[in-house]
Amino acid sequence: MTESTIKVALLGAGTVGSQVAKALTEDSEELSRRIGAVPELIGIAVRSLDAERDYQADPGLYTTDAETLIDGADVVIELTGGMEPARTRILRALEQGKHVVSGNKALLAAHGAELHRAAAENGAQLSYEAAVAGAIPILRPLRDSLAGDRVTRVLGIMNGTTNFMLDAMDSTGAQFDDALTEAQNLGYAEADPTADVDGLDAAAKAAIVASLAFHSEFTIDDVHCQGIRDITADDVAAAAEDGYVIKLLSVCELDGDGVNIRVNPTLIPRSHPLASVRDAYNAVFVESRDAGELMFYGPGAGGAPTASAVLGDFVSLARRSVLGGPGVPDSSYAGLKATSLSNVVSRYTVGLRVRDKLGVLAAIANVFAEHGVSIQTMHQTKHREKEDVEGDHATIRIVTHKTSDESLRSTIDELSSLTTVYDVTSVIQVEG
Ligand SMILES: NC(=O)c1ccc[n+]([C@@H]2O[C@H](COP(=O)([O-])OP(=O)(O)OC[C@H]3O[C@@H](n4cnc5c(N)ncnc54)[C@H](O)[C@@H]3O)[C@@H](O)[C@H]2O)c1
Ligand SMILES: N[C@@H](CCO)C(=O)O
Ligand code: NA
């Protein structure tokens, strides 16, 4: 019996694309057995034919003509990143009924609805497990395994770069910029790492997760997002002193008739399971009505781990294609809307640099009280030599009881206007 072939076009040969090219080349026989057809890598679209790559495939496979490559394929694997030309190329493939695997969370979080529609209209499959939490299977569990349950909340660490950086700052006292450079060298960061640092990568993932978990359409614009750019070595050290680590947390939860989706740095007690998520690992908790609490943990970034998720999608859709089945479109029947932060309550830690004189603490405590924000602990952590301010000054750290985002914001606004407060050095949520 002659086996059929599945023609694969790979777009991009960077950190992840190289590893996918390697697996498609070296594991072809094993993949054939799993699929029931022979995967044939027919070409790799690149920007430059003679760039250095982590894996060098057959030189004849590289091409700068992505469109012709797509037109001759059965399956297109997009690993170039960014909006264009990735969007146009994926649409071109889907409109011809070709199946697509992508790891492009930025694109999915901006144009997911359009891509899903194109897939459904043309009987094509669109899979993107690699887009969220790297190697960790999280999208397939949300789409398939939990399809009969009701998810109420998803939260976790969904960006490897910032987790790597915060972990390095916590465990070795590394500086922000050095930790970022190392994360880039290890292949964790996006081509433009500001997407990682400013929380946009985690926000894109949160929008994708929320869409699948709550059967609705969310984009990155629905996510309240704060990155880690303002987190200093002092913040990390102060958190450590109090028994906390700082993590960039993503939360998607039912909020009345809608869904609240947010990303922000958060203090986590060292005893909390999320505190032990180190390096570029990710962890995602899913809470649902019937299953209760589920935890997914593993490598959230990096070439080979992410290639694992890409190949999982590829084998899965290729097998379905061999069996003759159409794709299973994502459902967005629920149509839930994103909510504002007004109902979100949390504890916060607030760092202040103040003039060190009689009555300052009382004045600060009074501002919190006026806005109905209850203080749990308040201490003067350090005296510093004067640098940019006149006279003695002190660093104050306050931890609040649970309060609304709105009350906290108005408290911070008023504190900032006090002449005795030089600056508000940090405002970070506290979990647990
Ligand atoms: N690196 C990771 O850990 C990781 C994890 C999950 C998802 N992703 C996603 O996977 C995708 C690829 O990530 P990466 O880390 O491999 O990025 P990368 O920057 O290492 O590789 C992208 C490659 O695509 C090439 N490219 C860009 N535009 C192109 C075009 N128009 N035509 C042909 N080639 C083009 C670039 O030259 C580069 O070689 C991105 O969408 C990224 O968000 C990456
Ligand atoms: N830049 C991303 C890659 C994985 O999606 C991260 O650091 O998590
Ligand atoms: Na994943």
PDB file of all heavy atoms in Angstrom, residues 217-252:
ATOM      1  N   GLU A 217     -15.439  36.190  22.138  1.00  0.00           N
ATOM      2  CA  GLU A 217     -14.331  36.758  21.358  1.00  0.00           C
ATOM      3  C   GLU A 217     -13.715  37.923  22.118  1.00  0.00           C
ATOM      4  O   GLU A 217     -14.368  38.945  22.330  1.00  0.00           O
ATOM      5  CB  GLU A 217     -14.842  37.234  19.998  1.00  0.00           C
ATOM      6  CG  GLU A 217     -15.149  36.088  19.057  1.00  0.00           C
ATOM      7  CD  GLU A 217     -15.790  36.542  17.751  1.00  0.00           C
ATOM      8  OE1 GLU A 217     -15.993  37.765  17.572  1.00  0.00           O
ATOM      9  OE2 GLU A 217     -16.102  35.663  16.935  1.00  0.00           O
ATOM     10  N   PHE A 218     -12.492  37.771  22.547  1.00  0.00           N
ATOM     11  CA  PHE A 218     -11.776  38.861  23.206  1.00  0.00           C
ATOM     12  C   PHE A 218     -10.513  39.173  22.415  1.00  0.00           C
ATOM     13  O   PHE A 218      -9.913  38.277  21.820  1.00  0.00           O
ATOM     14  CB  PHE A 218     -11.396  38.476  24.644  1.00  0.00           C
ATOM     15  CG  PHE A 218     -12.585  38.202  25.511  1.00  0.00           C
ATOM     16  CD1 PHE A 218     -12.884  36.904  25.918  1.00  0.00           C
ATOM     17  CD2 PHE A 218     -13.419  39.235  25.923  1.00  0.00           C
ATOM     18  CE1 PHE A 218     -13.990  36.641  26.717  1.00  0.00           C
ATOM     19  CE2 PHE A 218     -14.527  38.978  26.716  1.00  0.00           C
ATOM     20  CZ  PHE A 218     -14.811  37.681  27.123  1.00  0.00           C
ATOM     21  N   THR A 219     -10.119  40.433  22.452  1.00  0.00           N
ATOM     22  CA  THR A 219      -8.853  40.816  21.825  1.00  0.00           C
ATOM     23  C   THR A 219      -7.954  41.397  22.912  1.00  0.00           C
ATOM     24  O   THR A 219      -8.388  41.612  24.053  1.00  0.00           O
ATOM     25  CB  THR A 219      -9.039  41.881  20.724  1.00  0.00           C
ATOM     26  OG1 THR A 219      -9.354  43.126  21.351  1.00  0.00           O
ATOM     27  CG2 THR A 219     -10.114  41.489  19.741  1.00  0.00           C
ATOM     28  N   ILE A 220      -6.732  41.699  22.534  1.00  0.00           N
ATOM     29  CA  ILE A 220      -5.779  42.263  23.495  1.00  0.00           C
ATOM     30  C   ILE A 220      -6.287  43.592  24.053  1.00  0.00           C
ATOM     31  O   ILE A 220      -5.952  43.959  25.177  1.00  0.00           O
ATOM     32  CB  ILE A 220      -4.373  42.393  22.852  1.00  0.00           C
ATOM     33  CG1 ILE A 220      -3.326  42.714  23.914  1.00  0.00           C
ATOM     34  CG2 ILE A 220      -4.369  43.416  21.732  1.00  0.00           C
ATOM     35  CD1 ILE A 220      -1.898  42.568  23.458  1.00  0.00           C
ATOM     36  N   ASP A 221      -7.136  44.291  23.292  1.00  0.00           N
ATOM     37  CA  ASP A 221      -7.671  45.571  23.784  1.00  0.00           C
ATOM     38  C   ASP A 221      -8.605  45.384  24.977  1.00  0.00           C
ATOM     39  O   ASP A 221      -8.917  46.343  25.677  1.00  0.00           O
ATOM     40  CB  ASP A 221      -8.426  46.296  22.664  1.00  0.00           C
ATOM     41  CG  ASP A 221      -7.485  46.731  21.559  1.00  0.00           C
ATOM     42  OD1 ASP A 221      -6.272  46.871  21.837  1.00  0.00           O
ATOM     43  OD2 ASP A 221      -7.953  46.914  20.417  1.00  0.00           O
ATOM     44  N   ASP A 222      -9.067  44.154  25.203  1.00  0.00           N
ATOM     45  CA  ASP A 222      -9.957  43.888  26.338  1.00  0.00           C
ATOM     46  C   ASP A 222      -9.189  43.607  27.627  1.00  0.00           C
ATOM     47  O   ASP A 222      -9.798  43.383  28.681  1.00  0.00           O
ATOM     48  CB  ASP A 222     -10.846  42.667  26.032  1.00  0.00           C
ATOM     49  CG  ASP A 222     -11.820  42.954  24.899  1.00  0.00           C
ATOM     50  OD1 ASP A 222     -12.421  44.039  24.903  1.00  0.00           O
ATOM     51  OD2 ASP A 222     -11.968  42.085  24.016  1.00  0.00           O
ATOM     52  N   VAL A 223      -7.866  43.591  27.545  1.00  0.00           N
ATOM     53  CA  VAL A 223      -7.056  43.185  28.697  1.00  0.00           C
ATOM     54  C   VAL A 223      -6.484  44.420  29.404  1.00  0.00           C
ATOM     55  O   VAL A 223      -5.883  45.284  28.766  1.00  0.00           O
ATOM     56  CB  VAL A 223      -5.893  42.267  28.246  1.00  0.00           C
ATOM     57  CG1 VAL A 223      -5.110  41.754  29.453  1.00  0.00           C
ATOM     58  CG2 VAL A 223      -6.430  41.096  27.422  1.00  0.00           C
ATOM     59  N   HIS A 224      -6.691  44.499  30.723  1.00  0.00           N
ATOM     60  CA  HIS A 224      -6.048  45.549  31.525  1.00  0.00           C
ATOM     61  C   HIS A 224      -4.622  45.081  31.759  1.00  0.00           C
ATOM     62  O   HIS A 224      -4.410  44.019  32.345  1.00  0.00           O
ATOM     63  CB  HIS A 224      -6.759  45.726  32.865  1.00  0.00           C
ATOM     64  CG  HIS A 224      -8.234  45.956  32.699  1.00  0.00           C
ATOM     65  ND1 HIS A 224      -8.750  47.170  32.330  1.00  0.00           N
ATOM     66  CD2 HIS A 224      -9.293  45.126  32.823  1.00  0.00           C
ATOM     67  CE1 HIS A 224     -10.066  47.080  32.236  1.00  0.00           C
ATOM     68  NE2 HIS A 224     -10.417  45.843  32.531  1.00  0.00           N
ATOM     69  N   CYS A 225      -3.665  45.861  31.301  1.00  0.00           N
ATOM     70  CA  CYS A 225      -2.302  45.323  31.244  1.00  0.00           C
ATOM     71  C   CYS A 225      -1.266  46.252  31.860  1.00  0.00           C
ATOM     72  O   CYS A 225      -1.210  47.434  31.528  1.00  0.00           O
ATOM     73  CB  CYS A 225      -1.965  45.053  29.778  1.00  0.00           C
ATOM     74  SG  CYS A 225      -0.265  44.584  29.523  1.00  0.00           S
ATOM     75  N   GLN A 226      -0.469  45.686  32.745  1.00  0.00           N
ATOM     76  CA  GLN A 226       0.674  46.409  33.321  1.00  0.00           C
ATOM     77  C   GLN A 226       1.860  45.447  33.301  1.00  0.00           C
ATOM     78  O   GLN A 226       1.743  44.312  33.754  1.00  0.00           O
ATOM     79  CB  GLN A 226       0.319  46.811  34.763  1.00  0.00           C
ATOM     80  CG  GLN A 226       1.371  47.636  35.451  1.00  0.00           C
ATOM     81  CD  GLN A 226       1.130  47.710  36.963  1.00  0.00           C
ATOM     82  OE1 GLN A 226       0.045  47.408  37.452  1.00  0.00           O
ATOM     83  NE2 GLN A 226       2.153  48.069  37.696  1.00  0.00           N
ATOM     84  N   GLY A 227       2.981  45.891  32.775  1.00  0.00           N
ATOM     85  CA  GLY A 227       4.154  45.027  32.677  1.00  0.00           C
ATOM     86  C   GLY A 227       5.080  45.169  33.867  1.00  0.00           C
ATOM     87  O   GLY A 227       4.677  45.649  34.928  1.00  0.00           O
ATOM     88  N   ILE A 228       6.349  44.766  33.667  1.00  0.00           N
ATOM     89  CA  ILE A 228       7.274  44.762  34.815  1.00  0.00           C
ATOM     90  C   ILE A 228       8.356  45.843  34.692  1.00  0.00           C
ATOM     91  O   ILE A 228       9.314  45.841  35.434  1.00  0.00           O
ATOM     92  CB  ILE A 228       7.954  43.385  34.997  1.00  0.00           C
ATOM     93  CG1 ILE A 228       8.907  43.066  33.825  1.00  0.00           C
ATOM     94  CG2 ILE A 228       6.930  42.280  35.165  1.00  0.00           C
ATOM     95  CD1 ILE A 228       9.917  41.974  34.190  1.00  0.00           C
ATOM     96  N   ARG A 229       8.175  46.768  33.726  1.00  0.00           N
ATOM     97  CA  ARG A 229       9.213  47.771  33.489  1.00  0.00           C
ATOM     98  C   ARG A 229       9.550  48.575  34.747  1.00  0.00           C
ATOM     99  O   ARG A 229      10.695  48.974  34.948  1.00  0.00           O
ATOM    100  CB  ARG A 229       8.763  48.713  32.371  1.00  0.00           C
ATOM    101  CG  ARG A 229       9.871  49.536  31.801  1.00  0.00           C
ATOM    102  CD  ARG A 229       9.377  50.372  30.653  1.00  0.00           C
ATOM    103  NE  ARG A 229       9.101  49.598  29.456  1.00  0.00           N
ATOM    104  CZ  ARG A 229      10.033  49.157  28.630  1.00  0.00           C
ATOM    105  NH1 ARG A 229      11.301  49.381  28.875  1.00  0.00           N
ATOM    106  NH2 ARG A 229       9.708  48.470  27.550  1.00  0.00           N
ATOM    107  N   ASP A 230       8.521  48.809  35.602  1.00  0.00           N
ATOM    108  CA  ASP A 230       8.757  49.643  36.787  1.00  0.00           C
ATOM    109  C   ASP A 230       9.234  48.843  37.998  1.00  0.00           C
ATOM    110  O   ASP A 230       9.451  49.402  39.066  1.00  0.00           O
ATOM    111  CB  ASP A 230       7.468  50.397  37.168  1.00  0.00           C
ATOM    112  CG  ASP A 230       7.067  51.373  36.072  1.00  0.00           C
ATOM    113  OD1 ASP A 230       7.970  51.818  35.333  1.00  0.00           O
ATOM    114  OD2 ASP A 230       5.860  51.655  35.938  1.00  0.00           O
ATOM    115  N   ILE A 231       9.364  47.528  37.859  1.00  0.00           N
ATOM    116  CA  ILE A 231       9.787  46.716  39.009  1.00  0.00           C
ATOM    117  C   ILE A 231      11.309  46.836  39.159  1.00  0.00           C
ATOM    118  O   ILE A 231      12.066  46.496  38.251  1.00  0.00           O
ATOM    119  CB  ILE A 231       9.401  45.226  38.815  1.00  0.00           C
ATOM    120  CG1 ILE A 231       7.887  45.088  38.619  1.00  0.00           C
ATOM    121  CG2 ILE A 231       9.892  44.382  39.997  1.00  0.00           C
ATOM    122  CD1 ILE A 231       7.043  45.422  39.817  1.00  0.00           C
ATOM    123  N   THR A 232      11.730  47.324  40.306  1.00  0.00           N
ATOM    124  CA  THR A 232      13.163  47.543  40.527  1.00  0.00           C
ATOM    125  C   THR A 232      13.744  46.440  41.416  1.00  0.00           C
ATOM    126  O   THR A 232      13.004  45.673  42.046  1.00  0.00           O
ATOM    127  CB  THR A 232      13.380  48.887  41.248  1.00  0.00           C
ATOM    128  OG1 THR A 232      12.727  48.801  42.525  1.00  0.00           O
ATOM    129  CG2 THR A 232      12.809  50.049  40.458  1.00  0.00           C
ATOM    130  N   ALA A 233      15.082  46.413  41.464  1.00  0.00           N
ATOM    131  CA  ALA A 233      15.755  45.464  42.361  1.00  0.00           C
ATOM    132  C   ALA A 233      15.307  45.723  43.803  1.00  0.00           C
ATOM    133  O   ALA A 233      15.162  44.783  44.591  1.00  0.00           O
ATOM    134  CB  ALA A 233      17.261  45.627  42.219  1.00  0.00           C
ATOM    135  N   ASP A 234      15.039  46.994  44.152  1.00  0.00           N
ATOM    136  CA  ASP A 234      14.555  47.329  45.506  1.00  0.00           C
ATOM    137  C   ASP A 234      13.193  46.689  45.781  1.00  0.00           C
ATOM    138  O   ASP A 234      12.943  46.190  46.879  1.00  0.00           O
ATOM    139  CB  ASP A 234      14.408  48.850  45.661  1.00  0.00           C
ATOM    140  CG  ASP A 234      15.750  49.512  45.968  1.00  0.00           C
ATOM    141  OD1 ASP A 234      16.736  48.772  46.171  1.00  0.00           O
ATOM    142  OD2 ASP A 234      15.792  50.759  45.984  1.00  0.00           O
ATOM    143  N   ASP A 235      12.294  46.732  44.791  1.00  0.00           N
ATOM    144  CA  ASP A 235      10.962  46.122  44.971  1.00  0.00           C
ATOM    145  C   ASP A 235      11.103  44.626  45.228  1.00  0.00           C
ATOM    146  O   ASP A 235      10.417  44.051  46.077  1.00  0.00           O
ATOM    147  CB  ASP A 235      10.095  46.311  43.716  1.00  0.00           C
ATOM    148  CG  ASP A 235       9.716  47.765  43.484  1.00  0.00           C
ATOM    149  OD1 ASP A 235       9.562  48.492  44.477  1.00  0.00           O
ATOM    150  OD2 ASP A 235       9.596  48.153  42.310  1.00  0.00           O
ATOM    151  N   VAL A 236      11.984  43.987  44.437  1.00  0.00           N
ATOM    152  CA  VAL A 236      12.175  42.538  44.562  1.00  0.00           C
ATOM    153  C   VAL A 236      12.765  42.217  45.943  1.00  0.00           C
ATOM    154  O   VAL A 236      12.311  41.291  46.629  1.00  0.00           O
ATOM    155  CB  VAL A 236      13.087  42.022  43.424  1.00  0.00           C
ATOM    156  CG1 VAL A 236      13.445  40.560  43.630  1.00  0.00           C
ATOM    157  CG2 VAL A 236      12.406  42.215  42.074  1.00  0.00           C
ATOM    158  N   ALA A 237      13.739  43.035  46.371  1.00  0.00           N
ATOM    159  CA  ALA A 237      14.365  42.796  47.677  1.00  0.00           C
ATOM    160  C   ALA A 237      13.374  43.041  48.812  1.00  0.00           C
ATOM    161  O   ALA A 237      13.323  42.275  49.783  1.00  0.00           O
ATOM    162  CB  ALA A 237      15.588  43.704  47.830  1.00  0.00           C
ATOM    163  N   ALA A 238      12.566  44.085  48.680  1.00  0.00           N
ATOM    164  CA  ALA A 238      11.574  44.386  49.731  1.00  0.00           C
ATOM    165  C   ALA A 238      10.548  43.263  49.824  1.00  0.00           C
ATOM    166  O   ALA A 238      10.158  42.840  50.919  1.00  0.00           O
ATOM    167  CB  ALA A 238      10.879  45.713  49.423  1.00  0.00           C
ATOM    168  N   ALA A 239      10.133  42.741  48.670  1.00  0.00           N
ATOM    169  CA  ALA A 239       9.173  41.631  48.663  1.00  0.00           C
ATOM    170  C   ALA A 239       9.800  40.417  49.354  1.00  0.00           C
ATOM    171  O   ALA A 239       9.160  39.750  50.173  1.00  0.00           O
ATOM    172  CB  ALA A 239       8.780  41.288  47.226  1.00  0.00           C
ATOM    173  N   ALA A 240      11.066  40.154  49.041  1.00  0.00           N
ATOM    174  CA  ALA A 240      11.759  38.994  49.620  1.00  0.00           C
ATOM    175  C   ALA A 240      11.832  39.124  51.144  1.00  0.00           C
ATOM    176  O   ALA A 240      11.606  38.149  51.869  1.00  0.00           O
ATOM    177  CB  ALA A 240      13.160  38.865  49.031  1.00  0.00           C
ATOM    178  N   GLU A 241      12.094  40.343  51.601  1.00  0.00           N
ATOM    179  CA  GLU A 241      12.176  40.581  53.050  1.00  0.00           C
ATOM    180  C   GLU A 241      10.870  40.186  53.750  1.00  0.00           C
ATOM    181  O   GLU A 241      10.871  39.691  54.864  1.00  0.00           O
ATOM    182  CB  GLU A 241      12.372  42.086  53.275  1.00  0.00           C
ATOM    183  CG  GLU A 241      13.601  42.469  54.076  1.00  0.00           C
ATOM    184  CD  GLU A 241      13.772  43.982  54.017  1.00  0.00           C
ATOM    185  OE1 GLU A 241      12.953  44.694  54.635  1.00  0.00           O
ATOM    186  OE2 GLU A 241      14.704  44.426  53.328  1.00  0.00           O
ATOM    187  N   ASP A 242       9.750  40.419  53.063  1.00  0.00           N
ATOM    188  CA  ASP A 242       8.435  40.120  53.644  1.00  0.00           C
ATOM    189  C   ASP A 242       7.955  38.709  53.322  1.00  0.00           C
ATOM    190  O   ASP A 242       6.802  38.363  53.598  1.00  0.00           O
ATOM    191  CB  ASP A 242       7.391  41.120  53.121  1.00  0.00           C
ATOM    192  CG  ASP A 242       7.676  42.526  53.619  1.00  0.00           C
ATOM    193  OD1 ASP A 242       8.460  42.670  54.578  1.00  0.00           O
ATOM    194  OD2 ASP A 242       7.097  43.477  53.048  1.00  0.00           O
ATOM    195  N   GLY A 243       8.791  37.900  52.650  1.00  0.00           N
ATOM    196  CA  GLY A 243       8.391  36.512  52.368  1.00  0.00           C
ATOM    197  C   GLY A 243       7.600  36.354  51.078  1.00  0.00           C
ATOM    198  O   GLY A 243       6.834  35.402  50.924  1.00  0.00           O
ATOM    199  N   TYR A 244       7.785  37.291  50.137  1.00  0.00           N
ATOM    200  CA  TYR A 244       7.054  37.216  48.867  1.00  0.00           C
ATOM    201  C   TYR A 244       8.021  37.156  47.683  1.00  0.00           C
ATOM    202  O   TYR A 244       9.181  37.562  47.797  1.00  0.00           O
ATOM    203  CB  TYR A 244       6.191  38.464  48.672  1.00  0.00           C
ATOM    204  CG  TYR A 244       4.995  38.548  49.590  1.00  0.00           C
ATOM    205  CD1 TYR A 244       5.070  39.257  50.789  1.00  0.00           C
ATOM    206  CD2 TYR A 244       3.785  37.954  49.255  1.00  0.00           C
ATOM    207  CE1 TYR A 244       3.971  39.356  51.632  1.00  0.00           C
ATOM    208  CE2 TYR A 244       2.681  38.053  50.083  1.00  0.00           C
ATOM    209  CZ  TYR A 244       2.777  38.754  51.272  1.00  0.00           C
ATOM    210  OH  TYR A 244       1.690  38.845  52.094  1.00  0.00           O
ATOM    211  N   VAL A 245       7.523  36.682  46.541  1.00  0.00           N
ATOM    212  CA  VAL A 245       8.220  36.875  45.272  1.00  0.00           C
ATOM    213  C   VAL A 245       7.276  37.657  44.361  1.00  0.00           C
ATOM    214  O   VAL A 245       6.055  37.589  44.526  1.00  0.00           O
ATOM    215  CB  VAL A 245       8.595  35.550  44.555  1.00  0.00           C
ATOM    216  CG1 VAL A 245       9.709  34.840  45.272  1.00  0.00           C
ATOM    217  CG2 VAL A 245       7.391  34.641  44.415  1.00  0.00           C
ATOM    218  N   ILE A 246       7.867  38.380  43.398  1.00  0.00           N
ATOM    219  CA  ILE A 246       7.029  39.121  42.445  1.00  0.00           C
ATOM    220  C   ILE A 246       6.920  38.301  41.167  1.00  0.00           C
ATOM    221  O   ILE A 246       7.922  37.833  40.636  1.00  0.00           O
ATOM    222  CB  ILE A 246       7.621  40.511  42.146  1.00  0.00           C
ATOM    223  CG1 ILE A 246       7.745  41.315  43.439  1.00  0.00           C
ATOM    224  CG2 ILE A 246       6.756  41.252  41.133  1.00  0.00           C
ATOM    225  CD1 ILE A 246       8.357  42.701  43.279  1.00  0.00           C
ATOM    226  N   LYS A 247       5.694  38.101  40.703  1.00  0.00           N
ATOM    227  CA  LYS A 247       5.437  37.373  39.455  1.00  0.00           C
ATOM    228  C   LYS A 247       4.528  38.218  38.579  1.00  0.00           C
ATOM    229  O   LYS A 247       3.707  38.987  39.094  1.00  0.00           O
ATOM    230  CB  LYS A 247       4.730  36.038  39.755  1.00  0.00           C
ATOM    231  CG  LYS A 247       5.552  35.068  40.597  1.00  0.00           C
ATOM    232  CD  LYS A 247       6.714  34.516  39.817  1.00  0.00           C
ATOM    233  CE  LYS A 247       7.444  33.409  40.532  1.00  0.00           C
ATOM    234  NZ  LYS A 247       8.706  33.080  39.827  1.00  0.00           N
ATOM    235  N   LEU A 248       4.659  38.049  37.255  1.00  0.00           N
ATOM    236  CA  LEU A 248       3.718  38.710  36.350  1.00  0.00           C
ATOM    237  C   LEU A 248       2.533  37.764  36.166  1.00  0.00           C
ATOM    238  O   LEU A 248       2.651  36.724  35.519  1.00  0.00           O
ATOM    239  CB  LEU A 248       4.365  39.021  34.999  1.00  0.00           C
ATOM    240  CG  LEU A 248       3.471  39.820  34.047  1.00  0.00           C
ATOM    241  CD1 LEU A 248       3.187  41.216  34.585  1.00  0.00           C
ATOM    242  CD2 LEU A 248       4.098  39.929  32.666  1.00  0.00           C
ATOM    243  N   LEU A 249       1.410  38.139  36.766  1.00  0.00           N
ATOM    244  CA  LEU A 249       0.256  37.239  36.813  1.00  0.00           C
ATOM    245  C   LEU A 249      -0.788  37.632  35.762  1.00  0.00           C
ATOM    246  O   LEU A 249      -1.066  38.814  35.584  1.00  0.00           O
ATOM    247  CB  LEU A 249      -0.365  37.332  38.208  1.00  0.00           C
ATOM    248  CG  LEU A 249      -0.995  36.072  38.767  1.00  0.00           C
ATOM    249  CD1 LEU A 249       0.059  34.983  38.919  1.00  0.00           C
ATOM    250  CD2 LEU A 249      -1.623  36.367  40.131  1.00  0.00           C
ATOM    251  N   SER A 250      -1.341  36.642  35.091  1.00  0.00           N
ATOM    252  CA  SER A 250      -2.458  36.872  34.160  1.00  0.00           C
ATOM    253  C   SER A 250      -3.701  36.260  34.784  1.00  0.00           C
ATOM    254  O   SER A 250      -3.650  35.122  35.255  1.00  0.00           O
ATOM    255  CB  SER A 250      -2.208  36.179  32.824  1.00  0.00           C
ATOM    256  OG  SER A 250      -1.001  36.611  32.262  1.00  0.00           O
ATOM    257  N   VAL A 251      -4.793  36.998  34.764  1.00  0.00           N
ATOM    258  CA  VAL A 251      -6.039  36.507  35.346  1.00  0.00           C
ATOM    259  C   VAL A 251      -7.181  36.728  34.357  1.00  0.00           C
ATOM    260  O   VAL A 251      -7.304  37.808  33.786  1.00  0.00           O
ATOM    261  CB  VAL A 251      -6.379  37.259  36.665  1.00  0.00           C
ATOM    262  CG1 VAL A 251      -7.667  36.713  37.282  1.00  0.00           C
ATOM    263  CG2 VAL A 251      -5.234  37.173  37.657  1.00  0.00           C
ATOM    264  N   CYS A 252      -7.990  35.677  34.136  1.00  0.00           N
ATOM    265  CA  CYS A 252      -9.205  35.789  33.318  1.00  0.00           C
ATOM    266  C   CYS A 252     -10.318  35.196  34.183  1.00  0.00           C
ATOM    267  O   CYS A 252     -10.249  34.006  34.499  1.00  0.00           O
ATOM    268  CB  CYS A 252      -9.139  34.964  32.040  1.00  0.00           C
ATOM    269  SG  CYS A 252      -7.543  34.986  31.188  1.00  0.00           S
TER     270      CYS A 252
END
